[in-house]
């Protein structure tokens, strides 16, 4: 449906003149240096010819008052007038093999003069593809392939290869018409469709294929030169028959190296000379093809005279003799021939001759019997054989000889290599590798989106027709033994395909020579530019040096690299050995072109709008499958090698390459797969067997927005071992509008810390009005669908006592409550900075699990997961459980061992008996101080003077309480036994000669600095001191009166009567458990404890924190674990 645009002129309040003057002035002063566009989130965007505003563009189209409403969007969104202006004036730079003409103006500023693209479909796409598709294999190997494989199998090879390239051309046409294809051709298409990893890997494989193609063309050039043009100019000449092959290979190496150096010099001097010769090379190809068809037609009228000599049914090399006779009679006198001398070693009639020569007659037949001769029946099927097999005419009879050991020294024609079907596929495929010639020069085309599909597909159709007809015509016109003669030894060292040509074999010889030269020059011209395009993309760091070149952009360093790799192929020196190598690289490139088209089509990405409509994802998949099949058909070990090279490059780019976002299809495929998987996960709840900790890690940031406890990320890595979901998050307090930049900076810092600690997962920093709401939102909404966290990991708030306010521990307790309500597990690590890093290796040690209450099995699962990591691998697992008075501890141990056996966990089991005991006076004292501290915390809002007075009154009350004591019970004294409060530290020491007294030292200066210190200083400590006599008397009294209950003590301590009995019981449990845990696990590498839940009454929250402190006292590394309310481990398979 056509769209109509109406342009309405808008006046600018009289400022138009000054605006225009300023616009033109700024355009004259414009700097030609490129600018890099950035999107709104400070990330670089893909370059666009339309929305790629430079600084001088901004303000020109927004100047004035009419568009003031949009003035704040100037930097991101251009006006429609600006967009249309850029569209109208848009021209793409020429590329490919065209040099940029440079000149300098008077100021010395280098400018580039660019020609506008003028080439159409025929000149720009069709002819270059034809020139690349018709080359060395057609002239040097196709006749040998037909003779070896037969017409039927040769036809199958051609159909397979041509079908592969046709399907690839369809996919390539779709990709090439989905936007502009800049320099790089196929590399650009693959990398922008499948991502930098695939693009770099396949681009380098395509580069290697193009480079080895240059080697193949150079080897073909030298083979034509030394075999058919100047055979006597060889540097190495074999003295023995068996050394001929090695001498030929050495000649190929020497002449090939010289030819490579000459071609590289031509390319270095300037590709303009290559372009000038391109028409000459193309003319040679066209004339050679026409000569072949003319020769076929002429065989109907008159057969060419190329007799071949057969001894029995064996074909003979006839370039060393003129007459196909053993003897000849001249004037009634019998004379021996040159052939007799070759087999008998002497011209005398009585000489001893070769046995096979004696038993069989010599026959001369025409090597080119003609199109109507019926020889097509004999050439219908193949004749494969090993290396050294004689070339024989099967329908002729012969008498075999007993001794064939000397055959190698006779002028027979042998197979120089072992032949089989898959080898011929690999040798033939390079003849159809030229379909990218049009897409590689898309910038030189007048209408690339129309020319590339039409030109490429027509070129493939034309060459496919040529190859198919040549297979049939060669089989119908040429004798089988001549077809299997690779180097034309049976037709006096003539090129076999040349014997069929009209008017002379030299037309084909000269045409094929120049064709191979031109193809070699094109390979040496295109391969360096491909490497330069890859290097300039920056995705492979070690290739960046090849992105530089001469001042005009010629890739000098890439040319040197290409020549070096090309030399490797020349040193192989065998066209038949090089051809399968480049077949692998081209097939891999074509495979990924088809994959790119299929992926983009199936994903239906909004940007996938190719103008070429005759494609379908099934055709792309068929082409991809055919490419993969041909790779393994040609050579399975070369295929594995090529895939290994591509895989190594892929992994290298993934880990070391630059991060690129090109909107590739693999990313879209990942998004689709993730969406599908998330929907599937949402439908079915996670089974116990599949349960694993999906962690939400709550980080605390320091003042510089850095991670305060990086070891928390280390522990996450050790616990997850790279598996499962990990969401690392933090909260900034404020509003998002003001803290957006800080939030992004904090997120980058967290990502850097995750990378340093090798934590694989997602990072999210949110901004909230207060920390409590921020953590609450994360716990509720982090994750997506079925990929939501089921466990929260956080660090213990170690400085909660010294905090200026109660927010740290209140936030902690609220987090505990919210995870419980959300049925999520909670892991709290105490002394997280003492946990091992990922580089540490813990030696002999234990991971102790204290299983007090059942939490769904999470306590037993966590040590198993930790021991999968190399840091904890050598640690052993111990499980402790607590038995009460009425429990059978022996039976409990047996049951627990059996349970662990069914769980397939290796652990040492120990049952700890905890008998009911009286509540010690020490417990009451701890509870008393705890409640006194709680009372103090409620008065923290008082002024400094009032706060000091309140503390003094509390300490005076404690002094009076202690003086009224007649005796005190101390069950356990731990040195030092210190309980710290924000402005108070109570220490219990034993002195020999002092009465119990309470000394209060409060310095005004030190008290004023309490908020700046993390621990109380001696200047403001309150010491509660016991005398030695009172301690001994208390111990003796306790031993003598073991049945005395604590109720009698209440009568002596009125202030203990008012204590909350629930707090006393909780403190008693914490003290007793701590004693047992410290006794058993103080030397453990890690202690896992059940985490008790917070009180339902929020009034006792600060007491809850004190209980946990007492529970973990004296332990270095502790992990408090609170289950999520579901079973996470099972005994079933």
């Amino acid at each position: 449906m056509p769209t109509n645009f109406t342009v309405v002129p808008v006046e600018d309040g009289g400022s138009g003149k000054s605006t225009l003057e300023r616009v033109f002035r700024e355009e004259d002063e414009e700097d030609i240096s490129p600018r890099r566009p950035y999107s709104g989130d400070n990330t670089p965007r893909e370059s666009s010819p339309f929305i790629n505003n430079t600084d001088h563009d901004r303000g020109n189209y927004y100047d004035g008052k009419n568009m003031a409403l949009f003035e704040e969007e100037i930097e991101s969104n251009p006006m429609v007038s600006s967009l249309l202006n850029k569209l109208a004036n848009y021209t793409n730079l020429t590329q490919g093999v065209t040099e940029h003409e440079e000149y300098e103006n008077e100021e010395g500023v280098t400018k580039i003069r660019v020609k506008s693209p003028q080439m159409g479909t025929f000149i720009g796409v069709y002819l270059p593809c034809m020139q690349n598709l018709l080359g060395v294999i057609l002239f040097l190997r196709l006749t040998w392939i037909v003779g070896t494989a037969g017409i039927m199998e040769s036809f199958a090879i051609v159909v397979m290869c041509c079908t592969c390239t046709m399907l690839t051309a369809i996919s390539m046409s779709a990709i090439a018409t989905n936007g502009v294809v800049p320099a790089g051709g196929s590399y650009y298409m693959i990398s922008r469709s499948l991502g930098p990893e695939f693009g770099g890997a396949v681009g380098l494989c395509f580069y290697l294929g193009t480079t080895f193609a240059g080697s193949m063309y150079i080897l073909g050039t030298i083979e034509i030169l030394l075999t058919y043009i100047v055979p006597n100019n060889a540097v190495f000449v074999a003295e023995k028959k068996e050394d001929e092959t090695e001498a030929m290979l050495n000649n190929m190496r020497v002449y090939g190296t010289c030819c490579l150096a000459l071609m590289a010099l031509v390319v270095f001097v300037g590709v303009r000379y290559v372009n000038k010769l391109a028409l000459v090379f193309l003319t040679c190809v066209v004339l050679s093809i026409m000569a072949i068809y003319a020769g076929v037609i002429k065989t109907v009228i008159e057969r060419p005279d190329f007799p071949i000599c057969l001894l029995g049914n064996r074909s003979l090399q006839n370039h060393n003799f003129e007459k196909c006779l053993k003897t000849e009679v001249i004037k009634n006198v019998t004379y021996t021939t040159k052939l007799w001398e070759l087999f008998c070693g002497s011209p005398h009639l009585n000489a001893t001759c070769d046995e096979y020569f004696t038993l069989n007659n010599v026959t001369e037949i025409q090597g080119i019997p003609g199109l109507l001769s019926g020889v097509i029946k004999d050439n219908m099927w193949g004749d494969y054989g090993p290396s050294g097999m004689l070339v024989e005419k099967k329908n002729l009879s012969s008498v075999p000889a007993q001794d064939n050991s000397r055959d190698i020294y006779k002028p027979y024609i042998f197979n120089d290599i072992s032949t089989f079907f898959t080898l011929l596929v690999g040798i033939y495929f390079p003849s159809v590798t030229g379909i990218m010639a049009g897409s590689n020069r898309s910038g030189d085309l007048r209408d690339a989106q129309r020319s590339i599909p039409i030109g490429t597909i027509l070129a493939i159709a034309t060459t496919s027709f040529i190859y198919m007809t040549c297979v049939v015509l060669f089989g119908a016109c040429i004798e089988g033994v001549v077809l299997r003669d690779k180097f034309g030894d049976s037709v006096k060292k003539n090129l076999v395909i040349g014997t069929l040509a009209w008017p002379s074999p030299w037309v084909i010889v000269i045409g094929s020579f120049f064709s191979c030269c031109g193809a070699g020059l094109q390979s040496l011209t295109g391969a360096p530019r491909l490497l330069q395009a890859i290097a300039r993309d920056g995705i492979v760091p070690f290739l960046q040096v090849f992105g530089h070149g001469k001042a005009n952009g010629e890739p000098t360093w890439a040319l040197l690299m290409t020549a070096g790799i090309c030399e490797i192929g020349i040193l192989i020196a065998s066209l038949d050995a090089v051809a399968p190598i480049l077949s692998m690289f081209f097939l891999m490139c074509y495979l990924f072109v088809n994959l790119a088209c299929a992926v983009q089509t199936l994903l239906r990405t909004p940007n996938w709008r190719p103008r070429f409509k005759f494609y379908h994802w099934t055709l792309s998949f068929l082409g991809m499958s055919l490419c993969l099949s041909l790779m393994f058909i040609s050579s399975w070990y070369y295929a594995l090698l090529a895939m290994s090279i591509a895989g190594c490059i892929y992994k290298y780019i993934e880990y070391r390459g630059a991060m690129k976002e090109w909107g590739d299809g693999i990313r879209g495929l990942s998004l689709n797969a993730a969406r599908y998987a998330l929907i599937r996960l949402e439908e079915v709840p996670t089974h116990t067997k599949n349960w694993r900790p999906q962690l939400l890690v709550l980080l605390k940031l320091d003042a510089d927005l850095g991670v305060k406890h990086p070891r928390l990320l280390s522990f996450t890595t050790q616990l997850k071992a790279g598996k499962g979901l990990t969401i690392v998050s933090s909260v900034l307090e404020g509003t998002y509008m003001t803290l957006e930049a800080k939030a992004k900076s904090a997120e980058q810092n967290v990502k850097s810390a995750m990378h340093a600690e090798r934590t694989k997962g997602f990072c999210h920093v949110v901004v909230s009005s207060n920390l409590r709401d921020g953590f609450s939102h994360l716990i509720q909404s982090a994750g997506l669908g079925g990929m939501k966290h089921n466990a929260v990991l956080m660090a213990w708030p170690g400085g909660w006592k010294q905090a200026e306010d109660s927010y740290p521990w209140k936030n902690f307790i609220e987090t505990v409550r919210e995870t419980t309500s959300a049925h999520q597990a909670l892991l709290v690590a105490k002394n997280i900075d003492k946990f091992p890093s990922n580089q540490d290796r813990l030696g002999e040690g234990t991971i102790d699990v204290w299983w007090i209450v059942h939490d769904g099995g999470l306590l037993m699962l966590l040590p198993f997961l930790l021991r999968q990591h190399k840091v904890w691998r050598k640690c052993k697992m111990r499980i402790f459980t607590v038995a009460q008075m009425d429990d059978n501890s022996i039976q409990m141990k047996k049951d627990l061992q059996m349970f662990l056996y069914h769980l397939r966990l290796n652990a040492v089991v120990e049952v700890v008996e905890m008998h009911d005991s009286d509540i010690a006076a020490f417990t009451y004292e701890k509870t008393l101080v705890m409640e006194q501290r709680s009372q103090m915390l409620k008065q923290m809002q008082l002024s400094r003077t009032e706060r000091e007075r309140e503390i003094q009154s509390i300490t005076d009350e404690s002094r009076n309480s202690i003086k009224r004591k007649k005796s005190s019970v101390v069950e356990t004294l731990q040195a030092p036994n210190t309980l710290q409060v924000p402005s108070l530290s109570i220490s219990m020491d034993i002195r020999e000669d002092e009465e119990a007294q309470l000394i209060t030292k409060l310095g005004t200066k030190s008290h004023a600095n309490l908020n700046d210190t993390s621990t109380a200083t001696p200047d403001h400590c309150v010491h509660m001191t016991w005398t030695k006599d009172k301690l001994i008397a208390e111990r003796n009294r306790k031993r003598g009166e073991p049945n005395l209950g604590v109720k009698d003590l209440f009568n002596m301590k009125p202030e203990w009567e008012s204590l909350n009995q629930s707090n006393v019981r909780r403190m008693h449990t914490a003290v007793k458990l701590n004693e047992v845990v410290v006794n058993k696990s103080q030397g453990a590498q890690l202690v896992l404890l059940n985490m008790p839940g917070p009180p339902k009454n929020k009034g006792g929250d600060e007491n809850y924190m004190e209980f946990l402190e007492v529970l973990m006292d004296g332990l270095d590394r502790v992990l408090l674990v609170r289950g999520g309310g579901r079973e996470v481990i099972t005994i079933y398979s």
Side-chain angles (χ1 to χ4, degrees):
M1 180 177 180
T3 303
N4 297 324
F5 291 94
T6 302
V7 180
V8 180
V10 180
E11 297 182 359
D12 197 20
S15 61
K17 182 177 180 180
S18 61
T19 302
L20 288 174
E21 290 176 353
R22 183 168 60 256
V23 168
F24 285 111
R25 190 185 313 117
E26 290 178 355
E27 288 180 349
D28 291 339
E29 296 173 357
E30 177 189 356
D31 187 5
I32 65 170
S33 60
R35 304 178 186 268
R36 191 177 187 182
Y38 284 84
S39 62
D41 56 355
N42 297 325
T43 57
R45 296 184 299 189
E46 186 78 13
S47 298
S48 170
F50 311 131
I51 310 177
N52 190 7
N53 300 327
T54 56
D55 292 340
H56 73 276
D57 291 325
R58 298 171 185 167
N60 297 344
Y61 298 100
Y62 291 83
D63 193 23
K65 305 172 184 176
N66 297 303
M67 295 299 168
L69 184 62
F70 301 95
E71 62 186 6
E72 294 184 357
E73 302 179 11
I74 291 175
E75 296 185 358
S76 58
N77 300 327
M79 291 193 59
V80 174
S81 58
S82 171
L83 176 64
L84 294 178
N85 182 52
K86 290 178 179 290
L87 281 170
N89 297 320
Y90 172 68
T91 57
N92 191 13
L93 295 178
T94 57
Q95 58 187 123
V97 297
T98 304
E99 283 187 332
H100 299 303
E101 298 182 6
E102 298 186 341
Y103 69 97
E104 293 187 356
N105 61 5
E106 296 178 357
E107 290 79 15
V109 179
T110 302
K111 293 187 178 180
I112 299 175
R113 180 182 300 159
V114 181
K115 298 179 181 178
S116 58
Q118 293 297 330
M119 287 193 293
T121 303
F122 185 76
I123 300 295
V125 180
Y126 181 78
L127 290 182
C129 288
M130 288 285 293
Q131 185 175 358
N132 281 271
L133 289 168
L134 300 173
V136 61
I137 301 298
L138 171 65
F139 298 121
L140 295 183
R141 291 293 182 269
L142 187 59
T143 53
W144 174 72
I145 291 173
V146 173
T148 304
I151 296 176
M152 297 300 294
E153 294 183 26
S154 300
F155 197 82
I157 292 173
V158 173
V159 169
M160 279 194 306
C161 295
C162 292
T163 302
C164 176
T165 53
M166 180 62 77
L167 294 175
T168 304
I170 293 174
S171 300
M172 183 199 68
S173 299
I175 298 174
T177 58
N178 189 51
V180 179
V181 180
S186 59
Y187 159 72
Y188 185 92
M189 290 189 295
I190 296 172
S191 61
R192 270 55 177 182
S193 298
L194 295 181
E197 293 86 3
F198 278 107
V202 180
L204 285 176
C205 286
F206 187 57
Y207 163 74
L208 292 175
T210 306
T211 304
F212 276 103
S215 301
M216 183 187 71
Y217 292 129
I218 292 174
L219 290 174
T221 301
I222 303 306
E223 182 176 315
I224 295 171
L225 179 69
L226 294 182
T227 306
Y228 307 112
I229 299 179
V230 285
N232 297 325
N233 286 2
V235 177
F236 298 91
V237 179
E239 296 181 358
K240 299 180 181 179
K241 177 78 173 178
E242 58 268 24
D243 295 336
E244 288 182 355
T245 302
E246 187 64 28
M248 182 62 181
L249 293 179
N250 290 330
N251 287 321
M252 297 284 284
R253 294 185 180 104
V254 172
Y255 277 90
T257 302
C258 296
C259 183
L260 172 63
L262 180 62
M263 288 185 176
L265 181 62
V266 172
V267 174
F268 176 77
V269 170
V271 290
R272 62 168 63 93
Y273 303 109
V274 179
N275 293 333
K276 291 179 179 179
L277 293 174
L279 184 60
V280 176
F281 298 147
L282 180 61
T283 303
C284 293
V285 173
V286 173
L287 290 178
S288 299
I289 299 297
M290 294 175 62
I292 293 171
Y293 283 104
V296 170
I297 295 173
K298 187 175 183 299
T299 60
V300 179
I301 304 171
E302 179 184 359
R303 292 185 308 180
D305 184 22
F306 284 98
I308 59 174
C309 186
L310 301 177
L311 176 61
N313 61 354
R314 299 179 181 179
S315 180
L316 298 177
Q317 301 177 3
N318 64 357
H319 51 82
N320 289 326
F321 58 90
E322 295 294 331
K323 298 179 180 179
C324 187
L325 297 171
K326 291 183 179 181
T327 58
E328 60 179 342
V329 179
I330 301 176
K331 297 181 180 181
N332 296 325
V333 178
T334 303
Y335 296 94
T336 60
T337 62
K338 185 66 175 178
L339 183 62
W340 177 282
E341 187 175 345
L342 290 175
F343 281 91
C344 301
S346 172
H348 303 292
L349 289 172
N350 58 353
T352 303
C353 297
D354 180 76
E355 182 183 3
Y356 188 85
F357 180 80
T358 305
L359 296 176
N360 293 274
N361 294 325
V362 176
T363 308
E364 187 177 65
I365 62 175
Q366 281 296 326
I368 314 295
L371 187 63
L372 304 179
S373 63
V375 73
I376 187 173
K377 297 179 182 178
D378 300 331
N379 296 330
M380 193 64 67
W381 304 107
D383 185 14
Y384 301 106
S387 175
M389 186 187 77
L390 293 166
V391 175
E392 300 175 340
K393 186 174 175 61
K394 298 299 182 182
N395 56 1
L396 281 183
S397 60
S398 64
V399 180
Q402 298 295 326
D403 183 15
N404 295 322
S405 59
R406 303 290 298 174
D407 288 347
I408 189 174
Y409 301 103
K410 305 304 178 184
Y412 295 122
I413 298 175
F414 301 90
N415 282 352
D416 61 332
I417 58 173
S418 298
T419 54
F420 41 89
F421 178 78
T422 57
L423 173 70
L424 300 184
V425 174
I427 293 176
Y428 172 77
F429 189 81
S431 64
V432 295
T433 57
I435 62 175
M436 299 291 184
S439 63
N440 286 345
R441 57 177 67 198
S442 59
D444 296 331
L445 303 175
R446 185 181 302 111
D447 185 0
Q449 296 189 357
R450 178 179 178 272
S451 298
I452 290 176
I454 296 176
T456 304
I457 293 175
L458 282 180
I460 294 175
T462 303
T463 53
S464 298
F465 172 79
I466 292 173
Y467 279 120
M468 291 178 187
T469 54
C470 283
V471 166
V472 177
L473 293 176
F474 291 164
C477 296
I478 305 175
E479 186 64 50
V481 290
V482 179
L483 289 174
R484 293 193 294 277
D485 180 9
K486 182 185 292 185
F487 302 107
D489 291 321
S490 61
V491 286
K492 297 186 180 297
K493 276 290 185 179
N494 278 303
L495 186 62
V496 173
I497 194 173
T499 59
L500 185 62
W502 181 87
S504 169
W506 283 98
V507 175
I508 300 296
V509 172
I510 300 300
S512 59
F513 177 79
F514 284 110
S515 173
C516 292
C517 286
L521 283 171
Q522 285 190 349
S523 297
L524 290 179
T525 302
R529 282 164 175 75
L530 178 58
L531 181 60
Q532 186 182 47
I534 299 173
R536 285 181 173 176
D537 264 345
I539 58 175
V540 185
F542 69 86
L543 291 180
Q544 291 184 1
V545 65
F546 300 109
H548 307 290
K550 293 193 295 186
N552 60 357
E554 289 298 313
T556 306
W557 294 107
L559 177 61
L560 292 177
M561 182 68 176
T562 302
I565 298 176
C566 193
E567 177 64 19
I568 297 175
I570 290 175
L571 292 179
I572 297 175
S574 173
L575 189 149
D576 301 319
V578 174
I581 297 176
L582 64 98
S583 295
M584 293 302 110
F585 293 123
F586 278 116
L587 279 168
M588 181 167 292
C589 177
Y590 296 165
L591 184 150
F592 282 100
V593 169
N594 287 289
L595 177 62
C597 180
V599 168
Q600 297 279 25
T601 305
L602 290 176
L603 290 179
R604 299 178 181 178
T605 54
N607 191 53
W608 180 246
R609 303 184 302 275
R611 291 190 177 275
F612 181 76
K613 302 298 181 182
F614 304 100
Y615 70 95
H616 197 266
W617 65 268
T618 54
L619 296 178
S620 299
F621 267 112
L622 180 61
M624 184 178 64
S625 304
L626 191 55
C627 288
L628 187 62
S629 301
L630 286 175
M631 286 179 67
F632 284 92
I633 287 175
S634 301
S635 175
W636 64 268
Y637 46 89
Y638 277 155
L640 293 178
L641 178 62
M643 295 174 72
S644 300
I645 293 174
C648 292
I649 298 172
Y650 178 94
K651 298 304 292 184
Y652 176 81
I653 296 174
E654 184 179 26
Y655 285 105
R656 297 293 303 277
M659 295 298 295
K660 298 287 185 180
E661 176 51 54
W662 288 331
D664 52 89
I666 292 297
R667 187 172 179 83
L669 183 63
S670 301
L671 290 174
N672 269 21
R675 179 185 61 84
Y676 175 77
L678 286 173
I679 293 174
R680 291 290 304 272
L681 288 174
E682 186 78 10
E683 295 174 354
V684 181
T686 305
H687 193 272
T688 302
K689 291 186 292 185
N690 293 327
W691 193 96
R692 63 179 63 196
Q694 315 281 15
L695 292 180
L696 171 65
V697 184
L698 301 180
L699 287 181
K700 187 175 182 180
L701 304 179
D702 55 22
D704 297 329
L705 301 180
V707 178
K708 190 172 184 179
H709 301 294
R711 289 294 172 87
L712 196 62
L713 296 176
S714 302
F715 183 71
T716 303
T717 303
Q718 296 158 19
L719 182 62
K720 301 294 294 180
K723 302 294 189 297
L725 174 69
T726 301
I727 304 175
V728 181
S729 58
S730 187
V731 178
L732 296 181
E733 192 170 5
T735 60
Y736 185 74
M737 298 291 292
T738 58
L739 297 180
E740 177 188 2
K742 286 188 176 182
K744 291 183 178 180
S745 176
E747 193 163 313
Q748 289 300 322
N749 293 340
V750 174
K751 287 181 179 179
S752 299
M754 292 174 64
H755 179 73
E757 300 296 337
R758 300 178 182 177
T759 304
K760 296 181 180 179
F762 306 98
C763 170
H764 193 38
V765 176
V766 300
V767 180
S768 179
S769 57
N770 58 76
L771 297 179
R772 175 69 254 127
D773 290 343
F775 285 122
S776 176
H777 295 156
L778 285 172
I779 292 173
Q780 294 178 57
S781 60
L784 180 64
M787 288 297 288
K788 293 182 68 69
H789 63 279
N790 54 27
V792 176
L793 174 62
M794 60 188 303
W796 171 259
W800 68 276
K801 289 184 179 181
Q802 289 77 30
E804 297 179 2
D805 49 40
S806 59
Y807 287 127
W809 58 266
K810 284 188 176 180
N811 288 342
F812 173 79
I813 296 176
E814 288 301 315
T815 301
V816 177
R817 288 195 174 101
E818 288 188 355
T819 54
T820 303
S821 300
H823 302 289
Q824 296 174 4
L826 178 64
L827 311 178
V828 180
K830 182 188 177 185
N831 296 330
I832 185 62
D833 295 328
K834 295 183 180 180
F835 276 55
S837 66
N838 291 326
Q839 287 73 33
D840 294 336
R841 300 293 182 269
L842 298 180
E844 296 297 329
T846 60
I847 301 177
D848 288 358
V849 178
W850 284 86
W851 192 20
I852 312 299
V853 295
H854 183 55
D855 60 347
L858 183 58
L859 268 174
M860 289 175 286
L861 183 61
L862 291 178
F864 170 76
L865 296 177
L866 280 175
R867 293 180 69 244
Q868 305 303 308
H869 197 274
K870 51 191 174 184
V871 173
W872 303 89
R873 189 164 295 159
K874 294 183 180 180
C875 294
K876 296 181 180 179
M877 179 178 170
R878 296 194 301 180
I879 295 183
F880 297 89
T881 189
V882 176
Q884 303 296 329
M885 284 294 296
D886 53 350
D887 293 329
N888 186 341
S889 58
I890 298 177
Q891 187 61 38
M892 282 181 62
K893 185 174 182 178
K894 291 181 179 179
D895 293 341
L896 183 54
Q897 288 175 338
M898 182 58 65
F899 182 56
L900 292 176
Y901 175 78
H902 287 300
L903 289 176
R904 289 90 65 198
L905 295 176
N906 297 322
V908 177
V909 176
E910 187 171 343
V911 178
V912 178
E913 297 180 352
M914 287 186 62
H915 302 290
D916 292 337
S917 60
D918 296 330
I919 300 176
F922 174 72
T923 302
Y924 282 98
E925 289 292 342
K926 294 284 287 185
T927 309
L928 174 63
V929 175
M930 178 184 70
E931 293 194 353
Q932 288 174 349
R933 181 184 180 281
S934 299
Q935 184 180 356
M936 288 176 53
L937 292 175
K938 294 177 182 178
Q939 304 298 327
M940 292 299 290
Q941 291 78 14
L942 299 175
S943 64
R944 181 185 303 170
T945 306
E946 292 174 333
R947 190 183 309 164
E948 292 178 358
R949 187 162 50 247
E950 181 71 9
I951 294 172
Q952 184 65 43
S953 65
I954 293 174
T955 54
D956 290 342
E957 183 180 347
S958 299
R959 181 188 299 113
N960 295 332
S961 171
I962 294 176
K963 285 183 178 180
R964 288 197 302 267
K965 297 177 184 177
K966 294 181 180 180
S967 62
S968 298
V969 180
V970 179
E971 182 179 76
T972 305
L973 289 176
Q974 299 180 357
N977 190 358
T978 303
L979 180 63
Q980 297 175 345
V981 294
S983 60
L984 183 63
S985 178
I986 302 174
S987 302
M988 302 191 69
D989 301 328
I990 298 175
R991 300 183 183 178
E992 295 184 359
D993 301 318
E994 297 181 9
E995 294 293 325
Q997 55 184 346
L998 188 64
I999 303 173
T1000 305
K1001 296 181 180 179
L1002 294 173
T1004 303
K1005 182 177 180 180
S1006 62
H1007 181 68
N1009 296 330
L1010 276 176
N1011 295 334
D1012 299 331
T1013 58
S1014 60
T1015 59
T1017 63
D1019 292 337
H1020 54 278
C1021 294
V1022 177
H1023 300 276
M1024 297 180 62
T1025 309
W1026 295 84
T1027 65
K1028 181 177 181 181
D1029 295 337
K1030 286 190 176 184
L1031 176 61
I1032 295 173
E1034 176 62 26
R1035 286 181 174 173
N1036 292 335
R1037 189 186 64 79
K1038 183 171 178 65
R1039 293 193 188 99
E1041 301 177 13
N1043 296 325
L1044 180 64
V1046 295
K1047 291 184 178 181
D1048 294 335
L1049 294 176
F1050 285 134
N1051 298 329
M1052 295 181 287
K1053 304 173 183 62
E1055 63 281 350
W1056 287 1
E1057 294 177 354
S1058 61
L1059 293 177
N1060 188 320
Q1061 295 303 305
S1062 175
N1063 287 341
V1064 174
R1065 292 195 304 272
R1066 290 171 181 265
M1067 183 63 75
H1068 175 68
T1069 303
V1071 171
K1072 298 297 291 183
L1073 270 178
N1074 178 258
E1075 291 178 1
V1076 176
V1077 174
V1078 170
N1079 183 35
K1080 295 287 186 180
S1081 301
Q1082 192 169 20
Q1085 299 287 3
L1086 180 63
V1087 177
L1088 282 77
L1089 286 171
N1090 280 115
M1091 183 178 184
K1096 296 181 179 179
N1097 181 13
K1098 294 187 178 182
D1101 285 353
E1102 64 273 14
N1103 299 335
Y1104 173 70
M1105 297 294 292
E1106 192 69 48
F1107 297 147
L1108 294 182
E1109 280 280 11
V1110 173
L1111 181 62
M1112 297 184 291
D1113 189 26
L1115 300 173
D1116 283 339
R1117 298 174 186 150
V1118 182
L1119 185 66
L1120 293 177
V1121 181
R1122 184 164 176 79
R1126 60 162 296 170
E1127 294 292 331
V1128 300
I1129 193 168
T1130 178
I1131 64 174
Y1132 300 104
S1133 60

